[in-house]
Amino acid sequence: MRLIFFGSGAFGLPTLAHLARSHTIAAVVTQPDKPAGRGGRLTPTPIAAWAAEHLPGIPILKPPKVNAPEVVDEIHRLASTPSPLPISDIRPPTFVVIAFGQKLSARLLAGVFAINLHSSLLPRWRGAAPINAAILGGDTHTGNSIITLADRMDAGLVLAQTDPPMPIDPLVTAGELHDRLAAEGPALVDRVLAQHLEDTLSPRVQDESLVTIATKLSKSDGQLDFHQPADFLRRQVHALTPWPGASTSLDPRDAAAPLTLKLLRVRVGPPHAKREGTPFDPGAIIDPARGVVSCGNNTTLEIIELQPAGKRPMDWPSFARGRTIPPGSRLISPDA
């Protein structure tokens, strides 16, 4: 099958690599290079970088506005260019869209079969950050959906979904779940493309009463408030790892300045009896050896893995070794 791939984020890499082995990639369309790092060096998207290395000679378009008339004309030209395949393999092109970052216009989509791989079980978690939202929302299962492109965000017809749904382990981070869902993408896309060729697709309308929205994340979402219950904090830490990260500061109650920490993996600890005194105030480290922190509603959180500012990730025993953490030390908001 002849297709054009639209994508920018790393989520689409496994599917693009698979499609490049089994189909004809007419072009790759991605976002423009953006400044990155301290030097602000222009850096290609993960999709552009992979395509440049593995698909020599394939056009890689990086339009700031994909729906600009001249861009639409160029994409249509590439889509209709005859390929060196047998005539039986030359068909109207397919657009495969995965984490592209721009909405495709009706003019651009005219005359093609266009599908979008989305990392949630739609209609749950339409929007920019569905993987993070599933963890933060306390979902026990998730998966991918393949939909047609629609005028409203992620509102297209459902063509296929992960079946059975993928369990969300209480200790999994958004980064890990991202990679698992990305790895499952190629098989689901293959199924839809095969059914399209066989004319056996069964599109399903999404139930609008079940729609939830996954809003875009910002760094401020990562500020931890230990007045919240431990399970809320567990979900917040794992939903925001690796980005934007869940941050706190260790206030040792001595002359040393607070130390900024990024919590990477945690678990809910046993509840504790409410007592008077600082050690059991929210954010108090009540077991320095195990990294157990007092949280809201008399709950506790055990820190499994963390990253001090300027250091590598480490488990709590490695962090606590050789460091004095006196009783009453607290974890506080970075802005406190």
Side-chain angles (χ1 to χ4, degrees):
M1 180 181 292
R2 181 178 178 83
L3 59 86
I4 292 181
F5 186 92
F6 293 75
S8 299
F11 188 76
L13 284 175
T15 300
L16 175 58
H18 175 78
L19 293 174
R21 293 190 296 267
S22 52
H23 297 276
T24 300
I25 306 293
V28 171
V29 187
T30 188
Q31 296 277 49
D33 298 355
K34 294 182 179 180
R38 293 183 178 179
R41 181 178 180 181
L42 285 177
T43 302
T45 67
I47 291 295
W50 189 93
E53 179 179 356
H54 295 92
L55 300 176
I58 299 298
I60 302 174
L61 309 184
K62 304 178 181 181
K65 296 182 179 180
V66 73
N67 297 311
E70 66 276 12
V71 177
V72 172
D73 291 343
E74 175 66 3
I75 292 173
H76 284 174
R77 184 188 69 79
L78 291 167
S80 62
T81 299
S83 74
L85 294 174
I87 190 66
S88 60
D89 288 335
I90 299 177
R91 302 179 177 89
T94 292
F95 289 179
V96 176
V97 183
I98 307 177
F100 174 53
Q102 297 185 48
K103 182 180 178 181
L104 307 190
S105 67
R107 180 170 180 259
L108 179 55
L109 294 172
V112 300
F113 175 65
I115 60 174
N116 172 227
L117 174 66
H118 181 80
S119 54
S120 80
L121 295 175
L122 292 167
R124 189 159 178 82
W125 303 129
R126 294 179 183 175
I131 297 173
N132 313 81
I135 296 177
L136 192 59
D139 294 6
T140 59
H141 292 78
T142 188
N144 289 312
S145 299
I146 295 184
I147 57 174
T148 60
L149 276 71
D151 185 57
R152 292 182 297 124
M153 177 181 63
D154 301 326
L157 301 174
V158 176
L159 303 178
Q161 290 186 315
T162 303
D163 186 22
M166 183 181 296
I168 301 178
D169 187 275
L171 295 183
V172 74
T173 67
E176 294 164 342
L177 190 55
H178 169 283
D179 292 349
R180 294 175 191 176
L181 288 168
E184 197 240 14
L188 203 61
V189 170
D190 259 354
R191 186 200 312 172
V192 168
L193 294 181
Q195 290 175 342
H196 169 59
L197 291 178
E198 297 163 359
D199 198 24
T200 56
L201 286 170
S202 299
R204 175 171 55 84
V205 176
Q206 296 184 42
D207 185 343
E208 292 293 324
S209 70
L210 300 178
V211 170
T212 56
I213 302 298
T215 57
K216 188 175 181 179
L217 298 173
S218 67
K219 289 187 177 181
S220 63
D221 293 317
Q223 294 187 4
L224 299 173
D225 178 4
F226 288 91
H227 290 83
Q228 295 287 346
D231 189 62
F232 176 88
L233 294 167
R234 174 194 65 80
R235 290 183 277 119
Q236 184 181 11
V237 168
H238 295 160
L240 304 183
T241 298
W243 194 91
S247 298
T248 185
S249 294
L250 173 62
D251 183 2
R253 290 202 169 186
D254 58 19
L259 174 63
T260 300
L261 305 174
K262 185 176 288 186
L263 303 191
L264 305 178
R265 201 182 310 272
V266 297
R267 66 165 59 95
V268 175
H272 65 74
K274 183 173 178 60
R275 302 181 186 178
E276 297 297 330
T278 301
F280 291 90
D281 288 344
I285 300 176
I286 61 179
D287 187 343
R290 295 174 49 227
V292 178
V293 183
S294 176
C295 305
N297 295 351
N298 301 322
T299 59
T300 65
L301 193 72
E302 182 180 350
I303 301 173
I304 301 172
E305 188 178 5
L306 73 161
Q307 184 174 10
K311 304 291 185 180
R312 61 175 178 80
M314 62 186 70
D315 59 24
W316 177 266
S318 298
F319 171 74
R321 189 177 302 122
R323 179 178 274 108
T324 301
I325 305 177
S329 297
R330 294 181 61 239
L331 297 178
I332 59 177
S333 166
D335 292 338

